[in-house]
Amino acid sequence: MDYKQLKNEFQTPFYIYNFDFIKKRFLSLKEAFKARKSQIFYALKANSNLSLLQMLVKLDSGFDCVSIGEIRRALKAGAKPYKIIFSGVGKTKEELKLALEYDILYINLESEAEMILLESVAKKLNLKARISIRVNPNVDAKTHPYISTGLNENKFGVETQIARKMYLYAKNSAFLEPVGVHFHIGSQLLELSPIYEAAGIVAKLVRELKALQIELKFFDIGGGLGVAYEKTDTEPKLYEYAQGILKHLNGLDLTIGMEPGRYLVAKSGEFVCSVLYEKTNKDKRFIIVDGAMNDFIRPSLYEAYHEIILPYNKGEESECDVVGGICESGDFFARKRFLPKSKGGDIMVIKNAGAYGFSMSSNYNSRNRACELALEEGQIRLIRQRESFEEQIALEEKFLKA
Ligand code: LLP
């Protein structure tokens, strides 16, 4: 990639995503489940750029949304409502109402209270809400605690017993129609046996429900597939993933719903910035760059490892911290990393930044958000322009006193 030319044209920092890579991953995931009916519902939270969503619509992707904003993004990108599902532990009444009005495929419920609220909203609209229930199977996903969601101590989903009770209630309600079951036990899973265990627990529930004449159509296995961020990481094999789940579903006629986020986009993306300064404090070497934790927060928030290169710098490498300019010691992209000597203006690339990068960015320190580019079929194009100062302050400026 000619980063220098891109820097000339777009300045730094910017994100760039390889759409062809995302397409390839999408199709191979779909292929792994070809023994069954399946639907991928891409988890927008990983990267919700409209052009990316539009590309996925063309591949016939569905979308897993966790806010009305995400639903509206998916619709804006051309998704059909029947390809959209709505998840999340804290949906508001207004969001539930809009989701019903849009007539999306189903709503993943995460508590009894939410079900009762949804029923009352559906009743007012005089329609039947298609629901799925997120089961918390109480298995340990063995990932970073902030992104582990499948234990009773986590806020997500309901225990199997409660789920059973909720299905029975929904079956007898004139305004609820149970169509699916859902689980998602955590993110960045490189070891998949906890997912298989969860699938077994949830499949057992599906069989029990069948005996009670509650026939579900969708078996929604969530997301969570991990990617290799470090050289020592091994990515799960898609075929084994599919088999590990499908083996629990013999004799059941279910469509497999998947909600991958990271797996599809993480490795497609790079965050490209420029070196501002190098300095040493006593013996400690720092490279200070023009991107910061407001642009890309994964290293600060999860101490996540991301490969970093200085593509045009050669020479001996020495230990350094790569940091942004924000007024916090937590503002770093890497600690104790070996990199060659650099100087102001040199280009730095942070790899594997396509998931939970831009989507988690903010204006902290009143910094404008970076721009985003796409590489597709050999062409590079802008898919979100760099935010301007005027845009950043637009919602406050009008309240200034004369
Ligand atoms: N479905 C549900 C219900 C989820 O909560 C999530 C992610 C996904 C699907 C997609 O998971 P994935 O396939 O991407 O693992 N910001 C964190 C990750 C948070 C994940 C939250 N839920 C990070 O940067 O690692």
Side-chain angles (χ1 to χ4, degrees):
M1 184 135 15
D2 189 347
Y3 295 109
K4 286 186 183 162
Q5 199 202 321
L6 293 176
K7 178 175 169 175
N8 274 341
E9 196 172 342
F10 301 104
Q11 284 80 54
T12 55
F14 62 81
Y15 279 93
I16 181 160
Y17 316 115
N18 182 337
F19 278 12
D20 300 318
F21 175 92
I22 299 171
K23 278 182 214 170
K24 253 198 354 236
R25 285 224 149 172
F26 180 95
L27 295 173
S28 43
L29 183 57
K30 182 82 191 155
E31 173 74 14
F33 282 84
K34 71 168 183 237
R36 286 271 184 161
K37 284 174 283 181
S38 72
Q39 177 65 55
I40 294 176
F41 299 100
Y42 167 64
L44 261 75
K45 59 173 82 71
N47 186 330
S48 51
N49 183 282
L50 287 176
S51 297
L52 167 59
L53 305 183
Q54 187 178 48
M55 184 267 286
L56 288 170
V57 168
K58 288 210 193 95
L59 296 178
D60 208 25
S61 182
F63 296 93
D64 173 42
C65 302
V66 288
S67 69
I68 209 68
E70 287 193 349
I71 293 179
R72 294 182 68 180
R73 272 181 182 265
L75 291 169
K76 185 57 118 186
K80 295 278 182 290
Y82 62 83
K83 293 264 174 163
I84 295 175
I85 59 176
F86 191 13
S87 310
V89 73
K91 307 178 201 80
T92 66
K93 185 174 178 182
E94 187 58 20
E95 285 181 313
L96 292 171
K97 177 165 177 276
L98 284 168
L100 290 178
E101 285 172 349
Y102 286 134
D103 199 20
I104 65 166
L105 182 60
Y106 60 79
I107 297 175
N108 275 323
L109 295 176
E110 299 226 14
S111 65
E112 286 181 280
E114 187 190 10
M115 179 177 71
I116 301 302
L117 177 63
L118 179 67
E119 185 187 36
S120 74
V121 176
K123 186 172 177 185
K124 267 210 192 99
L125 297 173
N126 194 29
L127 46 81
K128 223 169 173 166
R130 287 179 296 276
I131 61 149
S132 160
I133 294 172
R134 177 167 180 177
V135 176
N136 182 328
N138 196 26
V139 298
D140 187 353
K142 302 194 182 78
T143 182
H144 189 285
Y146 286 8
I147 53 177
S148 180
T149 53
L151 285 170
N152 290 157
E153 69 195 49
N154 303 123
K155 68 182 174 183
F156 299 98
V158 296
E159 309 163 61
T160 321
Q161 289 286 42
I162 307 272
R164 190 182 296 112
K165 200 172 126 204
M166 286 169 69
Y167 279 113
L168 284 169
Y169 180 94
K171 184 190 178 212
N172 294 319
S173 164
F175 302 100
L176 298 171
E177 182 189 0
V179 297
V181 65
H182 174 226
F183 65 93
H184 169 86
I185 58 168
S187 194
Q188 180 52 13
L189 309 187
L190 291 172
E191 156 58 38
L192 297 185
S193 50
I195 295 197
Y196 307 152
E197 189 187 342
I201 293 169
V202 177
K204 185 165 168 262
L205 172 67
V206 172
R207 290 201 165 83
E208 285 168 21
L209 294 172
K210 203 170 149 78
L212 298 167
Q213 269 82 52
I214 300 172
E215 296 271 355
L216 302 179
K217 296 192 195 84
F218 295 95
F219 191 79
D220 182 343
I221 61 176
L225 270 180
V227 302
Y229 285 114
E230 302 206 41
K231 292 213 167 66
T232 48
D233 290 339
T234 326
E235 288 189 4
K237 304 257 178 312
L238 292 181
Y239 180 75
E240 283 169 23
Y241 173 54
Q243 292 311 306
I245 290 167
L246 296 181
K247 71 167 188 228
H248 293 288
L249 303 182
N250 289 336
L252 294 171
D253 181 22
L254 293 163
T255 298
I256 310 299
M258 291 167 255
E259 302 171 355
R262 186 188 322 266
Y263 180 76
L264 297 183
V265 296
K267 301 199 85 173
S268 79
E270 294 178 337
F271 180 61
V272 180
C273 40
S274 295
V275 173
L276 295 173
Y277 312 102
E278 275 224 16
K279 73 174 200 180
T280 45
N281 281 350
K282 215 148 160 84
D283 293 334
K284 177 113 188 148
R285 175 184 168 212
F286 292 94
I287 302 182
I288 303 159
V289 294
D290 64 358
M293 67 188 285
N294 74 297
D295 298 301
F296 187 57
I297 204 173
R298 298 198 74 254
S300 306
L301 194 55
Y302 316 109
E303 294 185 61
Y305 175 93
H306 284 263
E307 188 187 340
I308 292 182
I309 56 166
L310 287 157
Y312 303 105
N313 298 45
K314 305 259 167 327
E316 207 184 318
E317 297 183 344
S318 67
E319 194 178 282
C320 63
D321 283 9
V322 177
V323 301
I326 283 182
C327 314
E328 296 208 28
S329 295
D331 176 26
F332 61 87
F333 290 141
R335 282 176 159 163
K336 299 194 172 172
R337 197 65 67 86
F338 278 81
L339 287 169
K341 185 123 196 64
S342 70
K343 60 177 184 330
D346 289 350
I347 289 171
M348 175 179 279
V349 180
I350 297 166
K351 306 277 237 180
N352 306 323
Y356 306 106
F358 187 88
S359 65
M360 294 181 80
S361 67
S362 76
N363 289 122
Y364 189 38
N365 277 210
S366 291
R367 294 163 60 97
N368 295 328
R369 266 180 246 229
C371 62
E372 294 176 286
L373 313 177
L375 166 63
E376 190 173 20
E377 291 166 10
Q379 303 284 337
I380 292 178
R381 65 180 200 275
L382 191 62
I383 54 172
R384 181 183 163 111
Q385 67 192 43
R386 189 176 299 288
E387 192 175 34
S388 68
F389 174 69
E390 288 67 33
E391 284 157 347
Q392 195 203 121
I393 63 166
L395 301 177
E396 299 162 41
E397 197 181 13
K398 59 187 171 191
F399 299 110
L400 286 174
K401 290 183 183 158

